[in-house]
Amino acid sequence: MATESLTYGFADAPEAPSADRQITYIAAISEALREEMRRNENVFVMGEDVGGGFGGAFKVTKGLADEFGDGRVMNMPLAEGGFVGAGTGMALMGLRPVIEMQFADFISSAFDIIVQFAATAHYRWDGAVPWVIRAPSDGGIRSGPFHSQNPEAWFIHTPGLKVVAPATPADAKGLLTAAIRDNNPVIYFESKPLYRSVKGYVPAGEHVTPLGQANLVRSGSDLSIITYGSQVREALTAAAALAQSGIEADVLDLRTLKPLDEEAILETARKTGKIMVVHAANQLAGLGGEIAARIAEKAFEWLDAPVCRLGGLDTPIPFSPPLEDAYRPNALKIEALARELAAY
Amino acid sequence: MTHHLAPDQQLELYYWMRLTRAFDESMIAYWKQGKGIGGTFSQRGHEAISVSAAYALEPDDVIAPMHRDLGAYLLRGLSPRRIFANLLGREAGVSRGRDANLHGMGDLERNIIGFVSHLPHSLPVAVGAAMSFTYRKEPRVALTFTGDGASSTGLFHESLNLAAVQRAPIVVIVENNQYAYSTPLAQQTAVPDIAERASGYGMPGVMLDGNDVEAVYAGVREAVDRARAGDGPTLIEAKTMRMLGHAVHDGAEYVPAELLAAWEEKDPIRRYTRLLLERDVADAQELAEIDRRCEVEMLDAIEWAEQMPLPQADTVTERVYAA
């Protein structure tokens, strides 16, 4: 993460794709936006500081105003409730806004409009709200309590919303494309620590990762690590270390958090019988609890150990490095818990 | 008056106010008989505002009414039958039993955005609808309503500021009915004329007598024309009085009787009746015939709604998501 520490994540425009299509996670997000805006004139971007030559706090939208004009890259006043409300109205009229939260932490300022209005309109009166909120989330980059949060559980708990969290550049592009095309409000949690620290193959042109499909990213028979977002990388690092000791782990990347791919969860649970669920969001009442409950309800007979969880602590997210490291799951913590689980 | 109303238009306004009143009186009586489901909200005193505002719009314009705007839903073509069925939780109701009383009565084919109980949450959404018209270069206007209570929220400020910055083609009507549930205006705001706030946002603020149907029509029509011409939003404050409780359960004993008596003299329908007779637009018998027609419509609506089936329980999870 040397790059992140030097630039604080605010480096200039994402680099142009290389010939072999190995691109960063953040460049993949920009590419999905650009391509969908080219394909569909109803797709546009709105948010704080997204417009003009500036291109947003993380530069995801840099260059879009040049190509598509200010009318499709709309700078908003500092009023998350107001502009998510406006995005909801624009979506009801058939446009497809991609609304940028400057940081996922600030989404709470728009909570009311999201959970009360946008999430309920279709159930109550067939009002489809096809917006996407891009929410730069996650910590580990020393940004303190209000620039590090993972608030996905609030929205998973809300009927009418969909929630996604890509872990790779390919899924960053594919899930954003799918989210933009979906006719429902989708919250897209992009992981800041992955922005420029991970590169991967991303298909050129149209690339859609269907919502609701998890991805088994490593196959093993001894235990399962079910996770998403930046913790997928941590889980893979842990799994590689475990393999050195002859412990082989399934690593399931959920990709979509709502609707959950229950089949994929039960399949890995039945396969290994030893399950751990990992997420950077705090563990208490987090998605891990729901996954553990579903496994208990539907795959109990296959279990060889209690389902265990690893998540953030029940504290605000602390700033100072030793405190944040104590707060957050990482590869070493996953590996340690996995060894206990394997020995159970 | 910039926009002169022809005699037949005046009679239309009368009819729609009368229908709104007839609906309201039937509904309140129904609830007092213990036959209603859940709660509901009286419209009494607000008829001139919702009717004339909706009357000032073109069919392509979008309207986002709230719970005191029955007249607007009726004018937009939602029938008394389907609205009463909504009140009774029927599958044939506008929200198919999903939402209560006048809530959830959105219908995009009629360009109606349904509201949620949280006010003024239709306001930013309507601003967005207006912004979509700018985006697509369509000559359409959005109009929404909110209340004196909701004017205290942060979202009210965020939305008006955004509308002004964007020069959105929207008309925002604050129905200042003096009470937010039991809280009188003086405890809601230190600035009794809510229209004054408009200058702080950089838009025109217009104060109207909300019980004068033609004054509301003229004021709203002017704002609608301005929005359609690309001259941006207008904040309209229509002063009126909530003549009954917050909802049907509320006796509103906290409202001074003399205040209600004073406003009763300004009842919008009684005033308009006098005016139409003075102008000789209609005679008393012709107006009585309109009144009778509205009552017949309501008897039919209630009978129809009562006969409609309730939703099937096994449909409860349908339509949470759009296909």
Side-chain angles (χ1 to χ4, degrees), chain A residues 41 82 93 112 122-124 126 161 183-184, chain B residues 99 115 121 135-136 158 316 319 321-323:
Chain A
E41 62 185 19
M93 295 295 109
D112 237 11
H122 194 267
Y123 188 67
R124 298 181 308 118
D126 285 339
L161 300 177
N183 289 326
N184 295 281
Chain B
D99 209 344
F115 74 102
H121 291 39
Y135 185 98
R136 287 175 159 152
E158 291 188 21
V316 63
R319 304 194 315 163
Y321 292 94

mmCIF file with all atom_site columns, all heavy atoms in Angstrom, chain A residues 41 82 93 112 122-124 126 161 183-184, chain B residues 99 115 121 135-136 158 316 319 321-323:
data_model
loop_
_atom_site.group_PDB
_atom_site.id
_atom_site.type_symbol
_atom_site.label_atom_id
_atom_site.label_alt_id
_atom_site.label_comp_id
_atom_site.label_asym_id
_atom_site.label_entity_id
_atom_site.label_seq_id
_atom_site.pdbx_PDB_ins_code
_atom_site.Cartn_x
_atom_site.Cartn_y
_atom_site.Cartn_z
_atom_site.occupancy
_atom_site.B_iso_or_equiv
_atom_site.pdbx_formal_charge
_atom_site.auth_seq_id
_atom_site.auth_comp_id
_atom_site.auth_asym_id
_atom_site.auth_atom_id
_atom_site.pdbx_PDB_model_num
ATOM 1   N N   . GLU A 1 41  ? -27.721 7.555   -22.975 1.00 0.00 ? 41  GLU A N   1
ATOM 2   C CA  . GLU A 1 41  ? -27.689 8.989   -22.634 1.00 0.00 ? 41  GLU A CA  1
ATOM 3   C C   . GLU A 1 41  ? -28.485 9.304   -21.369 1.00 0.00 ? 41  GLU A C   1
ATOM 4   O O   . GLU A 1 41  ? -28.415 10.424  -20.853 1.00 0.00 ? 41  GLU A O   1
ATOM 5   C CB  . GLU A 1 41  ? -28.200 9.831   -23.805 1.00 0.00 ? 41  GLU A CB  1
ATOM 6   C CG  . GLU A 1 41  ? -29.638 9.559   -24.177 1.00 0.00 ? 41  GLU A CG  1
ATOM 7   C CD  . GLU A 1 41  ? -30.073 10.321  -25.419 1.00 0.00 ? 41  GLU A CD  1
ATOM 8   O OE1 . GLU A 1 41  ? -29.182 10.775  -26.187 1.00 0.00 ? 41  GLU A OE1 1
ATOM 9   O OE2 . GLU A 1 41  ? -31.282 10.467  -25.609 1.00 0.00 ? 41  GLU A OE2 1
ATOM 10  N N   . GLY A 1 82  ? -30.627 16.223  0.103   1.00 0.00 ? 82  GLY A N   1
ATOM 11  C CA  . GLY A 1 82  ? -31.238 16.945  -1.008  1.00 0.00 ? 82  GLY A CA  1
ATOM 12  C C   . GLY A 1 82  ? -30.900 16.328  -2.345  1.00 0.00 ? 82  GLY A C   1
ATOM 13  O O   . GLY A 1 82  ? -31.774 16.093  -3.178  1.00 0.00 ? 82  GLY A O   1
ATOM 14  N N   . MET A 1 93  ? -38.249 9.515   -13.112 1.00 0.00 ? 93  MET A N   1
ATOM 15  C CA  . MET A 1 93  ? -38.584 10.010  -14.447 1.00 0.00 ? 93  MET A CA  1
ATOM 16  C C   . MET A 1 93  ? -37.860 9.228   -15.544 1.00 0.00 ? 93  MET A C   1
ATOM 17  O O   . MET A 1 93  ? -37.903 9.592   -16.717 1.00 0.00 ? 93  MET A O   1
ATOM 18  C CB  . MET A 1 93  ? -38.231 11.498  -14.558 1.00 0.00 ? 93  MET A CB  1
ATOM 19  C CG  . MET A 1 93  ? -39.044 12.415  -13.648 1.00 0.00 ? 93  MET A CG  1
ATOM 20  S SD  . MET A 1 93  ? -40.809 12.461  -14.058 1.00 0.00 ? 93  MET A SD  1
ATOM 21  C CE  . MET A 1 93  ? -41.497 11.573  -12.666 1.00 0.00 ? 93  MET A CE  1
ATOM 22  N N   . ASP A 1 112 ? -32.524 8.973   5.294   1.00 0.00 ? 112 ASP A N   1
ATOM 23  C CA  . ASP A 1 112 ? -33.980 9.090   5.238   1.00 0.00 ? 112 ASP A CA  1
ATOM 24  C C   . ASP A 1 112 ? -34.526 8.883   3.830   1.00 0.00 ? 112 ASP A C   1
ATOM 25  O O   . ASP A 1 112 ? -35.463 8.113   3.617   1.00 0.00 ? 112 ASP A O   1
ATOM 26  C CB  . ASP A 1 112 ? -34.338 10.521  5.670   1.00 0.00 ? 112 ASP A CB  1
ATOM 27  C CG  . ASP A 1 112 ? -35.278 10.534  6.838   1.00 0.00 ? 112 ASP A CG  1
ATOM 28  O OD1 . ASP A 1 112 ? -35.487 9.477   7.439   1.00 0.00 ? 112 ASP A OD1 1
ATOM 29  O OD2 . ASP A 1 112 ? -35.793 11.620  7.146   1.00 0.00 ? 112 ASP A OD2 1
ATOM 30  N N   . HIS A 1 122 ? -41.322 1.432   -5.106  1.00 0.00 ? 122 HIS A N   1
ATOM 31  C CA  . HIS A 1 122 ? -41.861 0.415   -6.007  1.00 0.00 ? 122 HIS A CA  1
ATOM 32  C C   . HIS A 1 122 ? -42.886 -0.467  -5.318  1.00 0.00 ? 122 HIS A C   1
ATOM 33  O O   . HIS A 1 122 ? -43.934 -0.779  -5.892  1.00 0.00 ? 122 HIS A O   1
ATOM 34  C CB  . HIS A 1 122 ? -40.747 -0.448  -6.612  1.00 0.00 ? 122 HIS A CB  1
ATOM 35  C CG  . HIS A 1 122 ? -41.242 -1.260  -7.764  1.00 0.00 ? 122 HIS A CG  1
ATOM 36  N ND1 . HIS A 1 122 ? -41.714 -2.540  -7.623  1.00 0.00 ? 122 HIS A ND1 1
ATOM 37  C CD2 . HIS A 1 122 ? -41.422 -0.931  -9.068  1.00 0.00 ? 122 HIS A CD2 1
ATOM 38  C CE1 . HIS A 1 122 ? -42.142 -2.987  -8.795  1.00 0.00 ? 122 HIS A CE1 1
ATOM 39  N NE2 . HIS A 1 122 ? -41.982 -2.023  -9.688  1.00 0.00 ? 122 HIS A NE2 1
ATOM 40  N N   . TYR A 1 123 ? -42.642 -0.832  -4.106  1.00 0.00 ? 123 TYR A N   1
ATOM 41  C CA  . TYR A 1 123 ? -43.606 -1.677  -3.385  1.00 0.00 ? 123 TYR A CA  1
ATOM 42  C C   . TYR A 1 123 ? -44.939 -0.950  -3.227  1.00 0.00 ? 123 TYR A C   1
ATOM 43  O O   . TYR A 1 123 ? -46.002 -1.535  -3.381  1.00 0.00 ? 123 TYR A O   1
ATOM 44  C CB  . TYR A 1 123 ? -43.043 -2.024  -2.010  1.00 0.00 ? 123 TYR A CB  1
ATOM 45  C CG  . TYR A 1 123 ? -43.854 -3.047  -1.246  1.00 0.00 ? 123 TYR A CG  1
ATOM 46  C CD1 . TYR A 1 123 ? -43.940 -4.361  -1.689  1.00 0.00 ? 123 TYR A CD1 1
ATOM 47  C CD2 . TYR A 1 123 ? -44.524 -2.704  -0.069  1.00 0.00 ? 123 TYR A CD2 1
ATOM 48  C CE1 . TYR A 1 123 ? -44.669 -5.305  -0.986  1.00 0.00 ? 123 TYR A CE1 1
ATOM 49  C CE2 . TYR A 1 123 ? -45.263 -3.647  0.641   1.00 0.00 ? 123 TYR A CE2 1
ATOM 50  C CZ  . TYR A 1 123 ? -45.324 -4.946  0.175   1.00 0.00 ? 123 TYR A CZ  1
ATOM 51  O OH  . TYR A 1 123 ? -46.053 -5.887  0.872   1.00 0.00 ? 123 TYR A OH  1
ATOM 52  N N   . ARG A 1 124 ? -44.865 0.345   -2.935  1.00 0.00 ? 124 ARG A N   1
ATOM 53  C CA  . ARG A 1 124 ? -46.086 1.085   -2.616  1.00 0.00 ? 124 ARG A CA  1
ATOM 54  C C   . ARG A 1 124 ? -46.862 1.504   -3.856  1.00 0.00 ? 124 ARG A C   1
ATOM 55  O O   . ARG A 1 124 ? -48.080 1.527   -3.857  1.00 0.00 ? 124 ARG A O   1
ATOM 56  C CB  . ARG A 1 124 ? -45.747 2.306   -1.751  1.00 0.00 ? 124 ARG A CB  1
ATOM 57  C CG  . ARG A 1 124 ? -45.118 1.893   -0.401  1.00 0.00 ? 124 ARG A CG  1
ATOM 58  C CD  . ARG A 1 124 ? -44.795 3.079   0.489   1.00 0.00 ? 124 ARG A CD  1
ATOM 59  N NE  . ARG A 1 124 ? -44.017 4.071   -0.216  1.00 0.00 ? 124 ARG A NE  1
ATOM 60  C CZ  . ARG A 1 124 ? -44.411 5.304   -0.444  1.00 0.00 ? 124 ARG A CZ  1
ATOM 61  N NH1 . ARG A 1 124 ? -45.562 5.730   0.008   1.00 0.00 ? 124 ARG A NH1 1
ATOM 62  N NH2 . ARG A 1 124 ? -43.638 6.138   -1.113  1.00 0.00 ? 124 ARG A NH2 1
ATOM 63  N N   . ASP A 1 126 ? -45.369 1.154   -7.473  1.00 0.00 ? 126 ASP A N   1
ATOM 64  C CA  . ASP A 1 126 ? -44.716 0.820   -8.742  1.00 0.00 ? 126 ASP A CA  1
ATOM 65  C C   . ASP A 1 126 ? -43.750 1.896   -9.223  1.00 0.00 ? 126 ASP A C   1
ATOM 66  O O   . ASP A 1 126 ? -43.455 1.972   -10.427 1.00 0.00 ? 126 ASP A O   1
ATOM 67  C CB  . ASP A 1 126 ? -45.746 0.564   -9.859  1.00 0.00 ? 126 ASP A CB  1
ATOM 68  C CG  . ASP A 1 126 ? -46.425 -0.783  -9.719  1.00 0.00 ? 126 ASP A CG  1
ATOM 69  O OD1 . ASP A 1 126 ? -45.849 -1.657  -9.041  1.00 0.00 ? 126 ASP A OD1 1
ATOM 70  O OD2 . ASP A 1 126 ? -47.521 -0.953  -10.274 1.00 0.00 ? 126 ASP A OD2 1
ATOM 71  N N   . LEU A 1 161 ? -33.807 -2.240  -1.393  1.00 0.00 ? 161 LEU A N   1
ATOM 72  C CA  . LEU A 1 161 ? -32.480 -1.855  -1.884  1.00 0.00 ? 161 LEU A CA  1
ATOM 73  C C   . LEU A 1 161 ? -31.714 -3.099  -2.333  1.00 0.00 ? 161 LEU A C   1
ATOM 74  O O   . LEU A 1 161 ? -31.991 -4.202  -1.887  1.00 0.00 ? 161 LEU A O   1
ATOM 75  C CB  . LEU A 1 161 ? -31.671 -1.172  -0.778  1.00 0.00 ? 161 LEU A CB  1
ATOM 76  C CG  . LEU A 1 161 ? -32.249 0.103   -0.170  1.00 0.00 ? 161 LEU A CG  1
ATOM 77  C CD1 . LEU A 1 161 ? -31.351 0.598   0.962   1.00 0.00 ? 161 LEU A CD1 1
ATOM 78  C CD2 . LEU A 1 161 ? -32.409 1.179   -1.244  1.00 0.00 ? 161 LEU A CD2 1
ATOM 79  N N   . ASN A 1 183 ? -33.071 -1.953  -12.429 1.00 0.00 ? 183 ASN A N   1
ATOM 80  C CA  . ASN A 1 183 ? -34.170 -0.994  -12.292 1.00 0.00 ? 183 ASN A CA  1
ATOM 81  C C   . ASN A 1 183 ? -34.495 -0.636  -10.849 1.00 0.00 ? 183 ASN A C   1
ATOM 82  O O   . ASN A 1 183 ? -35.552 -0.061  -10.578 1.00 0.00 ? 183 ASN A O   1
ATOM 83  C CB  . ASN A 1 183 ? -35.421 -1.544  -12.987 1.00 0.00 ? 183 ASN A CB  1
ATOM 84  C CG  . ASN A 1 183 ? -35.265 -1.521  -14.491 1.00 0.00 ? 183 ASN A CG  1
ATOM 85  O OD1 . ASN A 1 183 ? -34.619 -0.621  -15.037 1.00 0.00 ? 183 ASN A OD1 1
ATOM 86  N ND2 . ASN A 1 183 ? -35.819 -2.504  -15.168 1.00 0.00 ? 183 ASN A ND2 1
ATOM 87  N N   . ASN A 1 184 ? -33.599 -0.983  -9.934  1.00 0.00 ? 184 ASN A N   1
ATOM 88  C CA  . ASN A 1 184 ? -33.829 -0.715  -8.510  1.00 0.00 ? 184 ASN A CA  1
ATOM 89  C C   . ASN A 1 184 ? -32.704 0.146   -7.952  1.00 0.00 ? 184 ASN A C   1
ATOM 90  O O   . ASN A 1 184 ? -31.640 0.236   -8.556  1.00 0.00 ? 184 ASN A O   1
ATOM 91  C CB  . ASN A 1 184 ? -33.882 -2.050  -7.760  1.00 0.00 ? 184 ASN A CB  1
ATOM 92  C CG  . ASN A 1 184 ? -35.064 -2.887  -8.195  1.00 0.00 ? 184 ASN A CG  1
ATOM 93  O OD1 . ASN A 1 184 ? -36.185 -2.649  -7.763  1.00 0.00 ? 184 ASN A OD1 1
ATOM 94  N ND2 . ASN A 1 184 ? -34.827 -3.848  -9.089  1.00 0.00 ? 184 ASN A ND2 1
ATOM 95  N N   . ASP B 2 99  ? -50.214 0.684   0.977   1.00 0.00 ? 99  ASP B N   1
ATOM 96  C CA  . ASP B 2 99  ? -49.992 1.892   1.771   1.00 0.00 ? 99  ASP B CA  1
ATOM 97  C C   . ASP B 2 99  ? -51.332 2.464   2.215   1.00 0.00 ? 99  ASP B C   1
ATOM 98  O O   . ASP B 2 99  ? -52.365 2.227   1.604   1.00 0.00 ? 99  ASP B O   1
ATOM 99  C CB  . ASP B 2 99  ? -49.172 2.920   0.980   1.00 0.00 ? 99  ASP B CB  1
ATOM 100 C CG  . ASP B 2 99  ? -48.336 3.810   1.890   1.00 0.00 ? 99  ASP B CG  1
ATOM 101 O OD1 . ASP B 2 99  ? -48.605 3.851   3.108   1.00 0.00 ? 99  ASP B OD1 1
ATOM 102 O OD2 . ASP B 2 99  ? -47.414 4.471   1.384   1.00 0.00 ? 99  ASP B OD2 1
ATOM 103 N N   . PHE B 2 115 ? -46.253 10.061  -1.907  1.00 0.00 ? 115 PHE B N   1
ATOM 104 C CA  . PHE B 2 115 ? -45.455 10.634  -0.810  1.00 0.00 ? 115 PHE B CA  1
ATOM 105 C C   . PHE B 2 115 ? -45.228 9.599   0.289   1.00 0.00 ? 115 PHE B C   1
ATOM 106 O O   . PHE B 2 115 ? -45.872 8.552   0.328   1.00 0.00 ? 115 PHE B O   1
ATOM 107 C CB  . PHE B 2 115 ? -46.133 11.888  -0.252  1.00 0.00 ? 115 PHE B CB  1
ATOM 108 C CG  . PHE B 2 115 ? -47.359 11.633  0.593   1.00 0.00 ? 115 PHE B CG  1
ATOM 109 C CD1 . PHE B 2 115 ? -47.283 11.695  1.982   1.00 0.00 ? 115 PHE B CD1 1
ATOM 110 C CD2 . PHE B 2 115 ? -48.569 11.338  0.015   1.00 0.00 ? 115 PHE B CD2 1
ATOM 111 C CE1 . PHE B 2 115 ? -48.405 11.458  2.768   1.00 0.00 ? 115 PHE B CE1 1
ATOM 112 C CE2 . PHE B 2 115 ? -49.691 11.097  0.794   1.00 0.00 ? 115 PHE B CE2 1
ATOM 113 C CZ  . PHE B 2 115 ? -49.607 11.152  2.170   1.00 0.00 ? 115 PHE B CZ  1
ATOM 114 N N   . HIS B 2 121 ? -40.234 15.050  2.236   1.00 0.00 ? 121 HIS B N   1
ATOM 115 C CA  . HIS B 2 121 ? -39.372 14.217  1.392   1.00 0.00 ? 121 HIS B CA  1
ATOM 116 C C   . HIS B 2 121 ? -39.795 14.174  -0.069  1.00 0.00 ? 121 HIS B C   1
ATOM 117 O O   . HIS B 2 121 ? -38.986 13.826  -0.930  1.00 0.00 ? 121 HIS B O   1
ATOM 118 C CB  . HIS B 2 121 ? -39.248 12.823  1.983   1.00 0.00 ? 121 HIS B CB  1
ATOM 119 C CG  . HIS B 2 121 ? -38.458 12.824  3.265   1.00 0.00 ? 121 HIS B CG  1
ATOM 120 N ND1 . HIS B 2 121 ? -38.569 13.828  4.199   1.00 0.00 ? 121 HIS B ND1 1
ATOM 121 C CD2 . HIS B 2 121 ? -37.545 11.973  3.763   1.00 0.00 ? 121 HIS B CD2 1
ATOM 122 C CE1 . HIS B 2 121 ? -37.758 13.583  5.201   1.00 0.00 ? 121 HIS B CE1 1
ATOM 123 N NE2 . HIS B 2 121 ? -37.131 12.452  4.960   1.00 0.00 ? 121 HIS B NE2 1
ATOM 124 N N   . TYR B 2 135 ? -32.712 18.265  -17.967 1.00 0.00 ? 135 TYR B N   1
ATOM 125 C CA  . TYR B 2 135 ? -31.757 17.306  -18.556 1.00 0.00 ? 135 TYR B CA  1
ATOM 126 C C   . TYR B 2 135 ? -32.199 16.903  -19.957 1.00 0.00 ? 135 TYR B C   1
ATOM 127 O O   . TYR B 2 135 ? -31.396 16.842  -20.885 1.00 0.00 ? 135 TYR B O   1
ATOM 128 C CB  . TYR B 2 135 ? -31.697 16.082  -17.637 1.00 0.00 ? 135 TYR B CB  1
ATOM 129 C CG  . TYR B 2 135 ? -30.675 15.019  -17.992 1.00 0.00 ? 135 TYR B CG  1
ATOM 130 C CD1 . TYR B 2 135 ? -29.442 14.974  -17.351 1.00 0.00 ? 135 TYR B CD1 1
ATOM 131 C CD2 . TYR B 2 135 ? -30.952 14.032  -18.939 1.00 0.00 ? 135 TYR B CD2 1
ATOM 132 C CE1 . TYR B 2 135 ? -28.508 13.992  -17.644 1.00 0.00 ? 135 TYR B CE1 1
ATOM 133 C CE2 . TYR B 2 135 ? -30.020 13.045  -19.241 1.00 0.00 ? 135 TYR B CE2 1
ATOM 134 C CZ  . TYR B 2 135 ? -28.796 13.031  -18.585 1.00 0.00 ? 135 TYR B CZ  1
ATOM 135 O OH  . TYR B 2 135 ? -27.882 12.053  -18.885 1.00 0.00 ? 135 TYR B OH  1
ATOM 136 N N   . ARG B 2 136 ? -33.509 16.662  -20.099 1.00 0.00 ? 136 ARG B N   1
ATOM 137 C CA  . ARG B 2 136 ? -34.021 16.184  -21.388 1.00 0.00 ? 136 ARG B CA  1
ATOM 138 C C   . ARG B 2 136 ? -34.566 17.308  -22.259 1.00 0.00 ? 136 ARG B C   1
ATOM 139 O O   . ARG B 2 136 ? -35.170 17.039  -23.303 1.00 0.00 ? 136 ARG B O   1
ATOM 140 C CB  . ARG B 2 136 ? -35.134 15.173  -21.144 1.00 0.00 ? 136 ARG B CB  1
ATOM 141 C CG  . ARG B 2 136 ? -34.627 13.839  -20.643 1.00 0.00 ? 136 ARG B CG  1
ATOM 142 C CD  . ARG B 2 136 ? -35.794 12.937  -20.300 1.00 0.00 ? 136 ARG B CD  1
ATOM 143 N NE  . ARG B 2 136 ? -35.407 11.536  -20.283 1.00 0.00 ? 136 ARG B NE  1
ATOM 144 C CZ  . ARG B 2 136 ? -35.998 10.614  -19.535 1.00 0.00 ? 136 ARG B CZ  1
ATOM 145 N NH1 . ARG B 2 136 ? -36.988 10.946  -18.735 1.00 0.00 ? 136 ARG B NH1 1
ATOM 146 N NH2 . ARG B 2 136 ? -35.600 9.366   -19.582 1.00 0.00 ? 136 ARG B NH2 1
ATOM 147 N N   . GLU B 2 158 ? -32.218 22.192  2.135   1.00 0.00 ? 158 GLU B N   1
ATOM 148 C CA  . GLU B 2 158 ? -31.361 21.566  1.119   1.00 0.00 ? 158 GLU B CA  1
ATOM 149 C C   . GLU B 2 158 ? -32.040 21.571  -0.243  1.00 0.00 ? 158 GLU B C   1
ATOM 150 O O   . GLU B 2 158 ? -31.402 21.825  -1.274  1.00 0.00 ? 158 GLU B O   1
ATOM 151 C CB  . GLU B 2 158 ? -31.037 20.114  1.514   1.00 0.00 ? 158 GLU B CB  1
ATOM 152 C CG  . GLU B 2 158 ? -30.127 19.985  2.718   1.00 0.00 ? 158 GLU B CG  1
ATOM 153 C CD  . GLU B 2 158 ? -29.670 18.545  2.966   1.00 0.00 ? 158 GLU B CD  1
ATOM 154 O OE1 . GLU B 2 158 ? -29.705 17.730  2.033   1.00 0.00 ? 158 GLU B OE1 1
ATOM 155 O OE2 . GLU B 2 158 ? -29.268 18.248  4.105   1.00 0.00 ? 158 GLU B OE2 1
ATOM 156 N N   . VAL B 2 316 ? -47.895 -10.774 -0.391  1.00 0.00 ? 316 VAL B N   1
ATOM 157 C CA  . VAL B 2 316 ? -47.240 -9.764  0.461   1.00 0.00 ? 316 VAL B CA  1
ATOM 158 C C   . VAL B 2 316 ? -45.812 -9.442  0.026   1.00 0.00 ? 316 VAL B C   1
ATOM 159 O O   . VAL B 2 316 ? -45.348 -8.312  0.176   1.00 0.00 ? 316 VAL B O   1
ATOM 160 C CB  . VAL B 2 316 ? -47.284 -10.182 1.946   1.00 0.00 ? 316 VAL B CB  1
ATOM 161 C CG1 . VAL B 2 316 ? -46.513 -11.470 2.183   1.00 0.00 ? 316 VAL B CG1 1
ATOM 162 C CG2 . VAL B 2 316 ? -46.755 -9.079  2.854   1.00 0.00 ? 316 VAL B CG2 1
ATOM 163 N N   . ARG B 2 319 ? -43.450 -7.334  -5.617  1.00 0.00 ? 319 ARG B N   1
ATOM 164 C CA  . ARG B 2 319 ? -43.229 -5.957  -6.042  1.00 0.00 ? 319 ARG B CA  1
ATOM 165 C C   . ARG B 2 319 ? -42.337 -5.137  -5.111  1.00 0.00 ? 319 ARG B C   1
ATOM 166 O O   . ARG B 2 319 ? -42.343 -3.912  -5.168  1.00 0.00 ? 319 ARG B O   1
ATOM 167 C CB  . ARG B 2 319 ? -44.549 -5.232  -6.279  1.00 0.00 ? 319 ARG B CB  1
ATOM 168 C CG  . ARG B 2 319 ? -45.434 -5.948  -7.277  1.00 0.00 ? 319 ARG B CG  1
ATOM 169 C CD  . ARG B 2 319 ? -46.553 -5.092  -7.759  1.00 0.00 ? 319 ARG B CD  1
ATOM 170 N NE  . ARG B 2 319 ? -47.194 -4.391  -6.671  1.00 0.00 ? 319 ARG B NE  1
ATOM 171 C CZ  . ARG B 2 319 ? -47.981 -3.349  -6.816  1.00 0.00 ? 319 ARG B CZ  1
ATOM 172 N NH1 . ARG B 2 319 ? -48.227 -2.900  -8.004  1.00 0.00 ? 319 ARG B NH1 1
ATOM 173 N NH2 . ARG B 2 319 ? -48.516 -2.746  -5.786  1.00 0.00 ? 319 ARG B NH2 1
ATOM 174 N N   . TYR B 2 321 ? -39.289 -5.271  -5.475  1.00 0.00 ? 321 TYR B N   1
ATOM 175 C CA  . TYR B 2 321 ? -38.304 -4.859  -6.479  1.00 0.00 ? 321 TYR B CA  1
ATOM 176 C C   . TYR B 2 321 ? -38.949 -4.727  -7.850  1.00 0.00 ? 321 TYR B C   1
ATOM 177 O O   . TYR B 2 321 ? -39.878 -5.472  -8.188  1.00 0.00 ? 321 TYR B O   1
ATOM 178 C CB  . TYR B 2 321 ? -37.154 -5.875  -6.552  1.00 0.00 ? 321 TYR B CB  1
ATOM 179 C CG  . TYR B 2 321 ? -36.320 -5.868  -5.296  1.00 0.00 ? 321 TYR B CG  1
ATOM 180 C CD1 . TYR B 2 321 ? -36.572 -6.759  -4.264  1.00 0.00 ? 321 TYR B CD1 1
ATOM 181 C CD2 . TYR B 2 321 ? -35.312 -4.921  -5.127  1.00 0.00 ? 321 TYR B CD2 1
ATOM 182 C CE1 . TYR B 2 321 ? -35.833 -6.724  -3.092  1.00 0.00 ? 321 TYR B CE1 1
ATOM 183 C CE2 . TYR B 2 321 ? -34.569 -4.879  -3.965  1.00 0.00 ? 321 TYR B CE2 1
ATOM 184 C CZ  . TYR B 2 321 ? -34.829 -5.778  -2.952  1.00 0.00 ? 321 TYR B CZ  1
ATOM 185 O OH  . TYR B 2 321 ? -34.095 -5.718  -1.794  1.00 0.00 ? 321 TYR B OH  1
ATOM 186 N N   . ALA B 2 322 ? -38.433 -3.817  -8.622  1.00 0.00 ? 322 ALA B N   1
ATOM 187 C CA  . ALA B 2 322 ? -38.842 -3.692  -10.017 1.00 0.00 ? 322 ALA B CA  1
ATOM 188 C C   . ALA B 2 322 ? -38.154 -4.792  -10.826 1.00 0.00 ? 322 ALA B C   1
ATOM 189 O O   . ALA B 2 322 ? -37.028 -5.188  -10.518 1.00 0.00 ? 322 ALA B O   1
ATOM 190 C CB  . ALA B 2 322 ? -38.427 -2.324  -10.555 1.00 0.00 ? 322 ALA B CB  1
ATOM 191 N N   . ALA B 2 323 ? -38.850 -5.272  -11.852 1.00 0.00 ? 323 ALA B N   1
ATOM 192 C CA  . ALA B 2 323 ? -38.273 -6.337  -12.682 1.00 0.00 ? 323 ALA B CA  1
ATOM 193 C C   . ALA B 2 323 ? -37.100 -5.787  -13.483 1.00 0.00 ? 323 ALA B C   1
ATOM 194 O O   . ALA B 2 323 ? -37.055 -4.616  -13.817 1.00 0.00 ? 323 ALA B O   1
ATOM 195 C CB  . ALA B 2 323 ? -39.331 -6.887  -13.613 1.00 0.00 ? 323 ALA B CB  1
#
